[in-house]
Amino acid sequence: MANFTQERVLDVHHWTDTLFSFTTTRDPSFRFRNGEFTMMGLALGEKPLLRAYSVASANYEENLEFFSIKVADGPLTSRLQHLRTGDNVIVGRKATGTLVIDNLKDGRNLYLIGTGTGLAPFLSVIKDPATYERFEKVVLLHGCRRVAELAYGELITERLPKDDLIGEMVRNQLIYFPTVTRDPFRNRGRITDLITSGKLFSEIALPTLDPAHDRVMICGSPALLADTKQLLLDQHFVEGNHGEAGDFVVEKAFAER
């Protein structure tokens, strides 16, 4: 257990019967880059029960935040969903992941494409002043089946624009585009369909994707990862990684959790 710290749960929020988030204390020694994930879970007996979780809070914030699905028979989430304030979780001391702006070439617009809890790393990225210093526009695309699953909407549209540190950047540069597939809503359809049809770009008043100017991060369901990656490769985007910056990056460590 030397590779983990024990953290106390400070708050739990249940978005729907299948989605919840929680905040914990943060060990002062824990460092991460915005967009990275760490191993997190519960200490059960001698062997901890762990999964990879993106950190939804920014690396300058005092506490840690995680966004999770609830799986009735899931080894970890079936337990995590019952967390209460004061309970303990364990958090890995090391963070990693591909969804960091250092893995992208310079560009004009940054597209953050996520489905479900794949939104989590991008909550960290959109709180980072460096994101807005590197890109003129930051487009956050969040796809879900139901409107109720569009978590963190108030944070994105109400709280961040008033934030003392990044409020002005958010107001001037962040474009939030939530979309659903099964409920009536102002934006409907799969993200990849909205991209290929051009509807997305007409709605947000930006040109269609161009590897000369646009950079992309992807996190979410296996279908989203595969379809969006292929869409980008077909348009001659080059995938980046820790070794060499590219036009887009994909988080392969986990599918939608």
Side-chain angles (χ1 to χ4, degrees), residues 3-255:
N3 293 327
F4 298 89
T5 63
Q6 180 171 278
E7 306 299 340
R8 181 168 50 87
V9 174
L10 302 173
D11 179 69
V12 182
H13 181 81
H14 294 272
W15 300 94
T16 69
D17 58 358
T18 59
L19 295 171
F20 73 107
S21 58
F22 57 98
T23 57
T24 75
T25 54
R26 175 182 176 180
D27 188 280
S29 66
F30 182 58
R31 296 285 184 269
F32 65 96
R33 293 183 295 174
N34 292 308
E36 289 188 323
F37 68 87
T38 188
M39 301 304 292
M40 189 275 299
L42 300 170
L44 301 175
E46 295 183 0
K47 188 176 181 180
L49 187 57
L50 302 162
R51 291 187 74 178
Y53 272 84
S54 293
V55 185
S57 44
N59 59 6
Y60 55 79
E61 293 186 285
E62 181 179 358
N63 300 317
L64 299 176
E65 183 162 0
F66 301 97
F67 183 29
S68 177
I69 61 170
K70 306 175 186 179
V71 181
D73 57 353
L76 179 58
T77 61
S78 62
R79 295 175 168 88
L80 275 185
Q81 63 184 292
H82 300 297
L83 282 177
R84 295 184 178 183
T85 301
D87 289 346
N88 293 322
V89 297
I90 53 175
V91 177
R93 293 184 181 275
K94 179 177 173 56
T96 188
T98 58
L99 300 178
V100 292
I101 59 175
D102 291 347
N103 290 342
L104 293 172
K105 298 175 185 175
D106 289 335
R108 184 181 303 163
N109 303 315
L110 172 63
Y111 286 82
L112 308 174
I113 302 178
T115 53
T117 54
L119 174 69
F122 302 140
L123 295 173
S124 179
V125 172
I126 65 172
K127 294 178 184 177
D128 189 348
T131 300
Y132 303 99
E133 291 166 0
R134 280 200 58 189
F135 299 96
E136 294 179 16
K137 293 292 183 182
V138 179
V139 183
L140 175 60
L141 306 175
H142 187 207
C144 294
R145 291 169 298 178
R146 305 289 186 184
V147 173
E149 297 170 351
L150 293 171
Y152 291 96
E154 181 186 1
L155 169 73
I156 298 165
T157 62
E158 301 292 336
R159 288 161 47 195
L160 289 187
K162 300 174 184 175
D163 185 85
D164 291 340
L165 176 65
I166 59 171
E168 183 177 0
M169 294 174 170
V170 169
R171 292 192 302 272
N172 294 331
Q173 296 172 254
L174 180 66
I175 299 172
Y176 172 50
F177 192 92
T179 181
V180 301
T181 55
R182 297 188 184 179
D183 285 339
F185 191 60
R186 65 181 183 272
N187 304 318
R188 293 201 65 190
R190 297 174 71 243
I191 291 173
T192 47
D193 292 340
L194 293 167
I195 291 173
T196 53
S197 70
K199 180 175 174 58
L200 168 68
F201 306 102
S202 63
E203 291 286 339
I204 64 175
L206 286 178
T208 55
L209 289 176
D210 183 344
H213 307 295
D214 299 315
R215 302 294 172 255
V216 184
M217 292 180 168
I218 314 164
C219 186
S221 68
L224 175 82
L225 303 188
D227 293 350
T228 311
K229 179 176 178 177
Q230 190 59 53
L231 184 156
L232 294 173
L233 291 174
D234 289 345
Q235 297 188 41
H236 307 293
F237 280 73
V238 177
E239 185 172 4
N241 53 50
H242 292 309
E244 187 171 355
D247 304 320
F248 75 97
V249 287
V250 180
E251 187 50 78
K252 304 183 183 73
F254 39 74

